[in-house]
Amino acid sequence: RSLVGSEMCIRDSPGMLGSLDCMHWTWKNCLVALQGQYRGHTKKATLVLEAVVSFNLYIWNAFFGVPGSLNDINVPCQSYLFNDLCNDLSPPCNYKIGDTDHSVGYYLVDGIYPKWKTLVQAFKKPNNAKEAKFTQQQESLRKDVERAFRVLQGRFHILRNEVHYHEQAVISD
């Protein structure tokens, strides 16, 4: 299917795999020996959750337990999701935009992520109406992942309070 013109919504794109983002979870009882590598942008130890979320809040990929000193820029370098993409282990996703055929799906991300082929960011300063519409749609769909994090925090009380366990394997479970 061809995605030509600004009337096509991003959500209708067959290549969009979901919204990708990371969230920090404060680890209150982090072992002293590990605190240096898990200290993030706050002065407390944190674990990072990387999640890919679809528009219906289905979390179909979660990468948890990355040291909190990492951020959205370098978490993908350790993520299983991107390791699979680098090894051509992604699900088949063939689509066409204009005259260009694509075989790899893409994720909607915010502006902090690296400029990779599989990561689609909004335009920082749209130059025309088409770019402005794309940016508005991309940013509205990106809110899916933020909404999923809020549901985990509010409804299930996951990620809202500090984690009190010592072992990372127990926390992951």
Side-chain angles (χ1 to χ4, degrees):
R1 173 163 81 164
S2 179
L3 304 176
V4 181
S6 60
E7 62 279 347
M8 177 61 85
C9 177
I10 298 172
R11 182 172 281 154
D12 296 334
S13 171
M16 187 183 81
L17 300 173
S19 299
L20 170 70
D21 205 0
C22 294
M23 179 178 187
H24 290 261
W25 190 15
T26 303
W27 189 4
K28 181 180 181 185
N29 291 334
C30 179
L31 300 172
V32 174
L34 299 176
Q35 285 186 3
Q37 65 180 336
Y38 285 90
R39 188 156 297 145
H41 61 284
T42 64
K43 299 301 177 192
K44 297 180 179 181
T46 61
L47 295 166
V48 177
L49 168 64
E50 174 196 63
V52 177
V53 179
S54 63
F55 70 93
N56 59 357
L57 299 187
Y58 180 74
I59 300 174
W60 63 268
N61 181 67
F63 181 56
F64 181 73
V66 181
S69 60
L70 300 177
N71 55 32
D72 292 8
I73 298 171
N74 47 20
V75 166
C77 296
Q78 295 186 16
S79 169
Y80 301 119
L81 177 71
F82 291 102
N83 287 340
D84 287 350
L85 285 174
C86 290
N87 294 319
D88 290 329
L89 297 176
S90 61
C93 187
N94 298 310
Y95 58 99
K96 187 172 186 170
I97 298 177
D99 294 329
T100 307
D101 291 319
H102 299 275
S103 61
V104 178
Y106 59 89
Y107 304 94
L108 299 179
V109 297
D110 57 17
I112 194 168
Y113 281 89
K115 302 218 181 293
W116 290 355
K117 176 179 171 180
T118 57
L119 303 178
V120 174
Q121 302 170 355
F123 292 98
K124 288 183 181 180
K125 296 179 181 177
N127 292 326
N128 55 46
K130 193 173 183 180
E131 288 180 2
K133 183 172 182 175
F134 173 86
T135 297
Q136 182 267 330
Q137 289 180 346
Q138 195 270 5
E139 289 173 347
S140 69
L141 292 175
R142 276 260 319 121
K143 292 179 182 172
D144 294 339
V145 70
E146 302 295 338
R147 201 174 74 208
F149 287 145
R150 286 193 307 273
V151 168
L152 287 174
Q153 291 173 324
R155 185 168 180 201
F156 301 107
H157 303 285
I158 299 171
L159 305 173
R160 181 170 59 179
N161 301 318
E162 296 177 336
V163 64
H164 295 278
Y165 296 106
H166 293 284
E167 299 295 324
Q168 188 172 342
V170 174
I171 298 168
S172 294
D173 285 343

